[in-house]
Amino acid sequence: MTVRLVGRAGEPASLAGDEGVLLGIDFGGTKMAVGVADGEGRLLASERVPTYAEKGAPQALDRALELAVTLVGRVGAPVAAAGIASPGVVRPDGIDLAPNVPGWDRLRLADAVRDRLGVPTVAVDNDLNAAALAELRFGALRDADPGLVVGLGTGVAAAVTVRGAVLPGHHGAAGEIGYAVAGGPWPGTMLELDFSGRALDRLADDLGVPGGAAGLAAAAERSGPPRDALVARVDELARHLATCCLLLDPQRVVLVGGVAGSDLIRGLLVERLAAVLPYRPDVVLSGFADDAALLGAVVLAREAVPAAR
């Protein structure tokens, strides 16, 4: 196992002093990330492992917690608080709207972390909300209000930020645009079934394009059926994002997730939003690569510590 130790440029990583370190866990449908950070939220050690979603939720949770124990041991400091980023709407006794890993709805994430690592303070939130929190504290939304974070990864979702806070919604489901109605006669289908990493993987398979979503984006650089098919899916996504922008009037839209890394897809989205919106927001790619939700989980932990005292 390779552990990444991170400090400021030219400086060794430092611990959080007597108060202990912060633990962050980002659960995703394809990958899971675990990180240990100092009191300022700077990662000291982190590691990413596959989820193996087809094998179910219990093994994913167990492997993530095992990795957390290993990283905490390597850093050699007590854990002051933990933050967890998870797909879906997290309740104390389960998780709603998280279909990509069988059995995820039955997990009690905070209890599992407390029991396995003995951490008294555990904060849990939706993964896009966590990513938005990272953008607010460290990233592209520090100087932008309102903000919209759009996750284009295994699934598709969004998070809304206003006046330095993430809006959860009445049920904690604000931004679950993957459930938006898309295409065909009413009620059509779900947006996530048209545009997400998994949806584009399936589309690539249907078209005989190797490499899944990434291979499809590469093939779509040239004219032909792959480009036509991908553009049609981007058009569907753009319609929904345009509506989100009309409702919120964001200053900046931040794209996160593996699919968002495609220059072609980002370019098509920017073109379509610019063509229809009366006030055009900045549309930028997150500067955190794949770490936005993990850093957000660390922020959840950091901001939970004062509240626990």
Side-chain angles (χ1 to χ4, degrees), residues 168-185:
H170 178 60
H171 296 96
E176 290 288 350
I177 61 172
Y179 290 84
V181 176

Side-chain angles (χ1 to χ4, degrees), residues 195-214:
F195 197 99
S196 64
R198 288 190 171 179
L200 296 183
D201 285 344
R202 290 192 296 269
L203 179 60
D205 287 342
D206 292 344
L207 294 170
V209 176

Side-chain angles (χ1 to χ4, degrees), residues 249-295:
D249 186 23
Q251 180 179 350
R252 186 163 298 139
V253 176
V254 184
L255 303 179
V256 302
V259 176
S262 165
D263 292 337
L264 174 64
I265 290 175
R266 288 201 315 279
L268 291 170
L269 281 175
V270 170
E271 288 176 7
R272 279 145 180 76
L273 294 178
V276 299
L277 293 177
Y279 297 102
R280 304 171 185 175
D282 297 331
V283 181
V284 302
L285 180 65
S286 172
F288 297 132
D290 293 329
D291 284 337
L294 175 60
L295 292 173

Side-chain angles (χ1 to χ4, degrees), residues 24-44:
I25 304 176
D26 169 30
F27 290 104
T30 303
K31 298 176 183 176
M32 305 181 294
V34 179
V36 179
D38 67 12
E40 299 302 315
R42 295 176 295 229
L43 286 174
L44 306 173

Side-chain angles (χ1 to χ4, degrees), residues 40-142:
E40 299 302 315
R42 295 176 295 229
L43 286 174
L44 306 173
S46 68
E47 180 73 15
R48 191 176 304 275
V49 293
T51 304
Y52 301 134
E54 70 282 359
K55 297 182 180 180
Q59 60 82 30
L61 175 60
D62 186 66
R63 289 189 298 108
L65 295 182
E66 182 180 350
L67 178 56
V69 170
T70 298
L71 293 184
V72 170
R74 295 283 180 88
V75 171
V79 179
I84 305 172
S86 167
V89 178
V90 181
R91 299 178 284 102
D93 60 345
I95 303 169
D96 295 333
L97 310 186
N100 289 321
V101 182
W104 203 257
D105 59 317
R106 297 188 294 275
L107 297 182
R108 301 169 69 118
L109 296 176
D111 289 346
V113 171
R114 290 189 191 101
D115 293 345
R116 185 70 175 270
L117 286 102
V119 182
T121 303
V122 182
V124 188
D125 204 346
N126 170 269
D127 52 356
L128 252 294
N129 288 352
L133 191 59
E135 296 294 345
L136 281 171
R137 301 294 183 264
F138 306 128
L141 296 181
R142 284 175 295 177

